[in-house]
Amino acid sequence: MNIKPLADRVVLKMLEAEETTKSGIILTSKAQEKPQVAEIVAVGPGGVVDGKEVKMEVSVGDKVLMSKYAGTEVKVDGEEYTILRQSDILAIVE
């Protein structure tokens, strides 16, 4: 099954959270922060949203930094994805 986002929405696949700190301390799953870096797997067409023209600035394959608790988490074919608006993306990670 494919997910095709509408309007200015983007489908993201979250990248794994860090399991150790830079100093080598191993974190339990409860101590790990929710990851904020994700890879884009699908992008909506943009268009007119709330009366304003929206041009999509991101593309499939981009790694992005997103707001911590933004979007809606969905599970499709055993894979977890997050769907959010382009405006909830803070930056492209290069």
Side-chain angles (χ1 to χ4, degrees):
M1 176 185 303
N2 289 334
I3 301 173
K4 183 178 178 183
L6 302 174
D8 67 334
R9 289 185 173 78
V10 177
V11 179
L12 304 172
K13 183 165 177 78
M14 302 307 292
L15 299 179
E16 294 298 316
E18 294 291 325
E19 294 181 12
T20 59
T21 64
K22 290 183 181 184
S23 60
I25 298 171
I26 298 173
L27 300 172
T28 64
S29 60
K30 287 188 178 184
Q32 295 174 3
E33 286 190 30
K34 182 177 177 184
Q36 288 180 265
V37 178
E39 183 175 354
I40 296 177
V41 295
V43 177
V48 178
V49 177
D50 297 330
K52 299 175 188 166
E53 183 71 28
V54 176
K55 179 179 175 254
M56 299 307 284
E57 302 289 332
V58 294
S59 58
V60 174
D62 285 349
K63 287 187 176 37
V64 295
L65 184 64
M66 59 178 263
S67 297
K68 199 167 209 162
Y69 296 103
T72 302
E73 295 177 0
V74 295
K75 195 170 194 177
V76 177
D77 295 336
E79 295 285 332
E80 292 187 13
Y81 299 98
T82 302
I83 301 174
L84 51 78
R85 290 187 178 269
Q86 177 178 247
S87 60
D88 290 326
I89 296 174
L90 303 174
I92 298 174
V93 179
E94 295 181 342

